[in-house]
Amino acid sequence: MEVDHTQTAVSIAVEHMRGTISLALIFADRDEAVLATNCGSLYVLSNGRDFVAFASERHILRELSSRTRLRSLIGDYSIKQVSPNTGFHVHLSTFCCSSFELNRTSQSLNGRGNGRHASSFQMSEQDLFADA
């Protein structure tokens, strides 16, 4: 299993923070972004093609959608909660996303595993929620 150094770095940084954390990182030198939370107060809205928005509450994203007629601008979309102690890694050129756990990063970074469970997925129309 190849180690994802961005996910590992975010996990280690969050381990050293105290309190309730929901963060978004966009890198000037990389085509990627990371959203992470230790409390679950983080929601992502995406059409899976070319649009991502995030907020601390689902209600905020629903209001954004209704006040801007978002569906008519970007098409179908989904709203997903980023679970507690989880990160959401977005590759901005493809909108391929990987979720990863923030805890258990103490194992080595030598490629033999990083102590975190990760899963990859592509956000698509099949990810739509009925209440979005």
Side-chain angles (χ1 to χ4, degrees):
M1 171 188 229
E2 185 176 320
V3 174
D4 186 307
H5 294 291
T6 300
Q7 293 175 6
T8 301
V10 170
S11 293
I12 291 170
V14 170
E15 280 183 359
H16 288 87
M17 296 178 188
R18 301 234 189 281
T20 302
I21 302 161
S22 290
L23 59 87
L25 303 169
I26 299 174
F27 304 96
D29 61 341
R30 300 180 192 187
D31 192 25
E32 59 187 334
V34 175
L35 304 170
T37 182
N38 67 358
C39 63
S41 183
L42 186 58
Y43 295 82
V44 178
L45 181 152
S46 178
N47 66 358
R49 293 180 305 278
D50 58 4
F51 185 87
V52 172
F54 58 91
S56 61
E57 299 175 23
R58 183 185 300 266
H59 172 73
I60 295 169
L61 295 175
R62 286 184 180 151
E63 284 293 310
L64 169 72
S65 174
S66 66
R67 290 181 184 203
T68 62
R69 297 182 213 166
L70 191 61
R71 194 173 305 277
S72 66
L73 297 171
I74 68 167
D76 288 336
Y77 59 85
S78 65
I79 299 174
K80 292 182 177 263
Q81 180 180 16
V82 180
S83 299
N85 298 310
T86 301
F88 193 78
H89 191 176
V90 182
H91 297 273
L92 298 173
S93 60
T94 62
F95 278 77
C96 182
C97 304
S98 300
S99 62
F100 60 97
E101 291 181 20
L102 292 176
N103 50 6
R104 296 179 302 205
T105 60
S106 58
Q107 293 183 9
S108 71
L109 303 179
N110 63 8
R112 291 189 297 235
N114 56 14
R116 292 176 289 109
H117 169 74
S119 61
S120 296
F121 57 93
Q122 179 75 32
M123 291 185 79
S124 66
E125 292 179 23
Q126 288 80 18
D127 296 318
L128 298 176
F129 292 115
D131 62 354

